Amino acid sequence: MTETVLVTGGAGYIGSHTTLALLQAGHDVLVLDNLCNGSPEALRRVARVAGRAPRFIEGDVRDAALLARVFAEHPVTAVMHFAGLKAVGESVREPLRYYDNNVAGSLALCQAMQSAGVHRFVFSSSATVYGEHAPIPYSEATPVGRPTNPYGRSKLMVEDLLADLAQSDPRWRIAVLRYFNPVGAHESGLIGEDPSGIPNNLLPYITQVAVGKLRELAVFGGDYPTPDGTGVRDYIHVVDLADGHLKALHALGQHTGWNVWNLGTGQGYSVLQMVRAFEDASGRRLPYRIAPRRAGDIAQYWSDPAKAQRELGWHARRGLPEMMRDAWRWQQANPQGYASS
Ligand code: NAD
Ligand code: UFG
């Protein structure tokens, strides 16, 4: 069945890759993005790869009047909600901005959907909801913990809001997707991650060191209780993640109410393994030094992805070499991100 999907935050990193996957699967896409961290160039490139364009509406998910208009004017059948702020450190400094954008934004969107009679919803959550003390690997049966920062708590609040909504009205079909660590770029090298300023996340930091924009990688902590002392995470290729969204959307045909799926590979890699894998893929040596631990970081975690495999028929296909190859291709072709074009 062809859907008309409203993709909030579709001009951002994960949203642009998912918009492309939706278009390639034959769906129609309406992107709503206020461009606070997204780029219209990303959508032009999505159109180039897909051979057809998503419709773009510049605006904010907290704008109730705009949302009412969007639902009145377009035959939206489902919503994928990526729009939000995601920098952990910034959320500690500006909690109100984070709760407003992430929680009030999701609330406004759900209200507009309810009024419009649209009840299929896919939400970008995060493994951060498992908190600090969950046993590894994290499965969906693991009780959620207390996230260590306002960003994480905003995700958990929205998960709870959605669970209450599903309880209140059986028409809702909700997929909460808990992402592990999204990395990489589309293999065309045309769309990828374009962080503003100095990247917070590991892989964009590595690629920016490699192109000479940054001097060296600081490895945050060399004394964790992990095989090589550095932090371990479950990195997932963004194209696999996008495919997981499509599978979740389709699965909402059989799954009513509130559903949660981990999107990860089930495999953890350390920071130093990531550095080596990048060096292998790029043929460049990466300067790094071991630095103090970063406040709030957990030593190690990875996903149990079995539920998504079982219920969505989805698993991550791309390994570390593809993640590194594609991240590097994107960075080399776009040294200034979308501003390069
Ligand atoms: P991103 O910043 O690249 O994309 C978010 C997009 O939403 C941007 O284009 C931004 O302009 C837009 N946006 C933000 N607030 C908005 C608002 N109020 N109204 C309209 N548009 C708005 O981030 P991303 O990495 O693509 O993340 C997408 C989603 O996935 C976010 O909700 C994020 O919290 C979640 N997530 C990301 C990661 C990660 O590591 N990237 C991990 C777990 C969860
Ligand atoms: N790291 C470094 N140096 C850097 C950046 C990161 O050593 O310059 C290390 C971190 O200490 C960690 C690993 O690389 O061990 C991954 O760090 P990222 O910042 O890339 O990712 P995080 O796992 O800290 O955070 C991600 C998302 C958050 C989300 C969190 C919870 O960015 O949005 O996962 O799962 F909340």
Side-chain angles (χ1 to χ4, degrees):
M1 161 186 151
T2 301
E3 307 257 8
T4 299
V5 185
L6 174 64
V7 178
T8 75
Y13 174 43
I14 304 167
S16 57
H17 288 82
T18 307
T19 294
L20 175 57
L22 285 164
L23 290 170
Q24 287 177 326
H27 300 301
D28 293 325
V29 182
L30 210 63
V31 167
L32 174 69
D33 198 300
N34 67 2
L35 301 180
C36 70
N37 198 39
S39 163
E41 177 61 18
L43 296 177
R44 286 193 281 275
R45 296 188 184 189
V46 164
R48 217 160 106 196
V49 180
R52 67 198 182 97
R55 198 184 273 264
F56 175 52
I57 300 160
E58 185 173 344
D60 197 295
V61 284
R62 292 163 296 180
D63 183 342
L66 172 65
L67 289 178
R69 225 168 36 244
V70 168
F71 284 107
E73 289 172 5
H74 302 278
V76 175
T77 53
V79 175
M80 289 192 181
H81 181 36
F82 297 95
L85 303 177
K86 62 167 183 174
V88 172
E90 192 180 65
S91 80
V92 175
R93 293 190 297 277
E94 300 179 69
L96 295 179
R97 191 155 80 87
Y98 271 68
Y99 289 121
D100 184 33
N101 221 298
N102 294 1
V103 182
S106 301
L107 180 62
L109 184 58
C110 290
Q111 284 167 331
M113 288 177 67
Q114 179 136 291
S115 301
V118 178
H119 295 101
R120 294 193 317 137
F121 191 73
V122 180
F123 176 61
S124 301
S125 191
S126 164
T128 194
V129 299
Y130 291 110
E132 287 178 281
H133 303 296
I136 306 166
Y138 295 174
S139 100
E140 297 84 346
T142 307
V144 294
R146 181 159 169 81
T148 53
N149 55 74
Y151 165 73
R153 288 193 280 276
S154 77
K155 290 290 171 193
L156 197 48
M157 284 179 193
V158 177
E159 286 201 4
D160 287 345
L161 180 162
L162 294 172
D164 290 339
L165 194 54
Q167 271 290 322
S168 73
D169 182 338
R171 289 174 300 174
W172 282 93
R173 290 166 183 258
I174 295 170
V176 167
L177 303 181
R178 293 184 182 149
Y179 310 161
F180 283 69
N181 284 54
V183 296
H186 190 260
E187 65 175 10
S188 62
L190 285 171
I191 57 172
E193 190 171 8
D194 184 14
S196 51
I198 296 174
N200 294 311
N201 296 115
L202 179 63
L203 201 50
Y205 204 103
I206 287 177
T207 59
Q208 291 198 13
V209 168
V211 285
K213 284 178 77 176
L214 297 167
R215 205 165 53 85
E216 63 177 3
L217 172 71
V219 175
F220 296 143
D223 58 353
Y224 281 111
T226 60
D228 65 17
T230 66
V232 170
R233 293 290 181 276
D234 181 342
Y235 297 93
I236 172 168
H237 196 295
V238 66
V239 175
D240 280 328
L241 193 64
D243 180 46
H245 286 72
L246 245 73
K247 296 272 175 24
L249 177 67
H250 296 156
L252 288 183
Q254 299 94 56
H255 293 268
T256 56
W258 187 93
N259 305 275
V260 57
W261 289 289
N262 283 341
L263 295 183
T265 66
Q267 174 78 52
Y269 290 105
S270 74
V271 177
L272 290 182
Q273 283 177 305
M274 294 294 280
V275 168
R276 305 263 143 70
F278 178 79
E279 291 180 332
D280 288 345
S282 66
R284 300 207 176 184
R285 200 187 59 79
L286 193 90
Y288 70 85
R289 76 187 152 84
I290 304 292
R293 294 181 180 190
R294 181 171 67 179
D297 272 357
I298 297 174
Q300 56 177 348
Y301 62 85
W302 53 89
S303 67
D304 174 349
K307 186 169 185 269
Q309 167 76 62
R310 203 169 54 242
E311 296 181 354
L312 306 181
W314 173 89
H315 67 273
R317 296 173 182 281
R318 295 162 180 82
L320 223 44
E322 288 91 351
M323 298 182 210
M324 296 300 172
R325 177 199 68 196
D326 294 337
W328 182 227
R329 183 187 290 126
W330 155 255
Q331 178 72 66
Q332 280 189 300
N334 307 273
Q336 308 304 325
Y338 291 113
S340 312
S341 61

